[in-house]
Amino acid sequence: MSRVLRVGVLASGRGTNLQALLDAGSRPDYPAVVGVVISDREDSRSLARAQAAGVTALFINPKDHSDRSAYEAVLTKRLQASDVGLVCLAGFMRILGSAFVRAWQGRLMNIHPSLLPAFPGLNAQRQALDHGVQVTGATVHFVDEGVDTGPIVLQAAVPVQATDTEETLAARILVEEHRIYPEAVRLFAEGRIHVSGRKVTVR
Ligand code: GRF
């Protein structure tokens, strides 16, 4: 039997994408499991979700480290100690420095609530509404040194309705996030993702 991929998840907030990955990992036919969850916030619901699933949950406080690179070196050390082959950002509210990004290049994914390259950064749903687009969505991408700029792995479109508020739109996008993030991790675990420059192909 082939070895199951161990995934490290970095999350700051409520952790619904983490939950989707935990749920997927509990299915016997799924080729990846969450091996460790790390949060920069002690009150993150992600830590409770990890504990409930029997997964190692670590609060690593940025304030305990002299600067960003010292903090990120500890993140890398803990991820390596958990033997992870892929790191998934799931609502991790810190910009990662180039040393961390380079250390995990090609093995670091993020989920973003828009059809990138439209509406990178914060409040993507608000940006979509303000711009008046009729279709937005969700994107799983590899992380590079920019903000939400890395090679795109999977996307899902979500129509904007005339009556949408930021909340209703975010809720419909989230449904797609929870579908495509586990799917992207599955493709990665199966070795089916190939990256050439900006282009990702799934074989
Ligand atoms: C999601 O909308 C994700 O796309 C963005 O941050 C949010 C995290 O939500 N990067 P959750 O913590 O996974 O519920």
Side-chain angles (χ1 to χ4, degrees):
M1 209 183 101
S2 63
R3 201 164 161 270
V4 161
L5 173 76
R6 287 172 64 79
V7 178
V9 178
L10 304 185
S12 303
R14 67 191 164 179
T16 66
N17 279 287
L18 163 66
Q19 191 65 54
L21 296 173
L22 289 167
D23 292 347
S26 70
R27 292 198 287 272
D29 58 339
Y30 190 77
V33 292
V34 178
V36 63
V37 174
I38 301 176
S39 184
D40 59 334
R41 298 204 40 166
E42 196 166 20
D43 60 354
S44 170
R45 277 190 62 202
S46 302
L47 295 172
R49 290 178 190 275
Q51 281 158 358
V55 169
T56 303
L58 304 173
F59 163 53
I60 305 184
N61 191 345
K63 293 193 185 127
D64 289 345
H65 300 87
S66 51
D67 59 20
R68 181 167 84 175
S69 73
Y71 181 69
E72 292 176 2
V74 172
L75 295 184
T76 287
K77 214 168 122 200
R78 300 310 287 257
L79 291 162
Q80 286 170 341
S82 290
D83 197 22
V84 311
L86 174 69
V87 178
C88 287
L89 308 181
F92 190 61
M93 299 306 287
R94 312 185 76 79
I95 307 260
L96 291 161
S98 54
F100 186 91
V101 170
R102 275 193 237 120
W104 294 97
Q105 188 159 30
R107 299 179 298 154
L108 180 59
M109 283 184 183
N110 183 42
I111 179 102
H112 183 78
S114 75
L115 290 178
L116 291 170
F119 315 130
L122 293 175
N123 306 316
Q125 303 92 339
R126 177 81 260 152
Q127 292 184 56
L129 288 175
D130 289 348
H131 198 87
V133 292
Q134 296 181 5
V135 179
T136 183
T139 302
V140 178
H141 63 94
F142 284 111
V143 176
D144 66 8
E145 291 178 40
V147 175
D148 301 323
T149 51
I152 289 168
V153 180
L154 289 179
Q155 294 189 299
V158 174
V160 178
Q161 293 168 6
T163 53
D164 264 331
T165 63
E166 201 174 335
E167 290 70 34
T168 60
L169 181 58
R172 289 206 317 289
I173 294 173
L174 211 50
V175 172
E176 295 303 314
E177 293 184 36
H178 298 163
R179 185 176 65 77
I180 65 171
Y181 214 0
E183 175 64 7
V185 171
R186 184 176 70 77
L187 293 171
F188 184 91
E190 291 173 347
R192 294 170 59 194
I193 293 180
H194 297 266
V195 186
S196 171
R198 288 208 50 81
K199 298 226 173 105
V200 174
T201 47
V202 175
R203 295 184 188 151

